[in-house]
Amino acid sequence: MKKKPDLPPDFVAKCKAITAKRARTVIRHVLKKGFITTQELKDTYGYNHPPRAIRDVKENGIPMEMFRVEGGDGRSIAAYRFGDPATARTGKFSGRTILDKKLKAMLVNRDGSKCVIYQEALPESLLQIDHRIPFEVSGDDPGLTPRSGHFRSIVPLVG
């Protein structure tokens, strides 16, 4: 395996600023070792679905790429490393964000305290904001705002 690439300091700072546990775990490992394998994600960190852990990193705006390595028993296994640091998303396009209480209050005021999917009245504390167009489908479109219909309404936290 080749040595770890030199990463731009601003990219490293962005990586170190990630606070989500799974994403932070993957990022720390890749910063230290240069890559992480699916086997390490399972055996060392206990992640039974390694692609989910990598997806968490991507959802935080950090580019990742997959490649194959020898798994030690003659099998080829997936490994992940950082993608092109120039493609890292920052600011409001860095990935998932917490939507503020004012937006939720606006939706409750507009639609009432009911689930848009089930059309059932529920306590406001059991509702959360949902996207009409998932981030994974639409990507970073600066034209998508609450006023443009990007946000569907509120849906149950569970169900």
Side-chain angles (χ1 to χ4, degrees):
M1 182 58 36
K2 58 185 186 180
K3 74 178 194 102
K4 293 187 299 182
D6 290 327
L7 298 167
D10 59 329
F11 178 76
V12 173
K14 168 144 180 63
C15 289
K16 288 181 176 180
I18 303 297
T19 58
K21 184 181 178 197
R22 258 192 314 231
R24 185 181 68 230
T25 299
V26 172
I27 289 167
R28 284 181 178 166
H29 187 101
V30 175
L31 284 171
K32 184 176 180 181
K33 306 274 185 166
F35 68 97
I36 192 167
T37 67
T38 54
Q39 203 63 47
E40 289 170 318
L41 285 164
K42 285 180 183 178
D43 296 346
T44 305
Y45 299 108
Y47 296 139
N48 292 323
H49 187 64
R52 177 66 223 166
I54 300 305
R55 183 172 155 196
D56 287 351
V57 175
K58 291 178 178 180
E59 286 177 349
N60 278 279
I62 306 298
M64 297 294 290
E65 60 184 33
M66 186 187 85
F67 62 104
R68 307 295 286 179
V69 296
E70 168 66 39
D73 58 359
R75 297 181 301 130
S76 172
I77 62 172
Y80 302 90
R81 62 185 164 222
F82 294 128
D84 180 2
T87 63
R89 296 185 315 267
T90 59
K92 74 178 199 174
F93 303 117
S94 65
R96 290 181 181 247
T97 57
I98 302 299
L99 300 169
D100 66 14
K101 292 179 182 181
K102 284 178 21 180
L103 176 59
K104 182 177 179 181
M106 178 195 77
L107 292 168
V108 168
N109 186 47
R110 183 187 77 188
D111 301 329
S113 185
K114 71 176 182 180
C115 169
V116 71
I117 296 170
Y118 301 111
Q119 296 297 304
E120 182 179 328
L122 294 167
E124 191 175 327
S125 63
L126 295 179
L127 298 170
Q128 68 182 8
I129 299 170
D130 189 42
H131 294 265
R132 176 178 291 151
I133 305 167
F135 175 77
E136 294 154 347
V137 173
S138 68
D140 295 329
D141 185 343
L144 296 176
T145 66
R147 294 180 199 265
S148 71
H150 178 56
F151 298 104
R152 177 187 357 229
S153 191
I154 45 183
V155 297
L157 284 168
V158 293

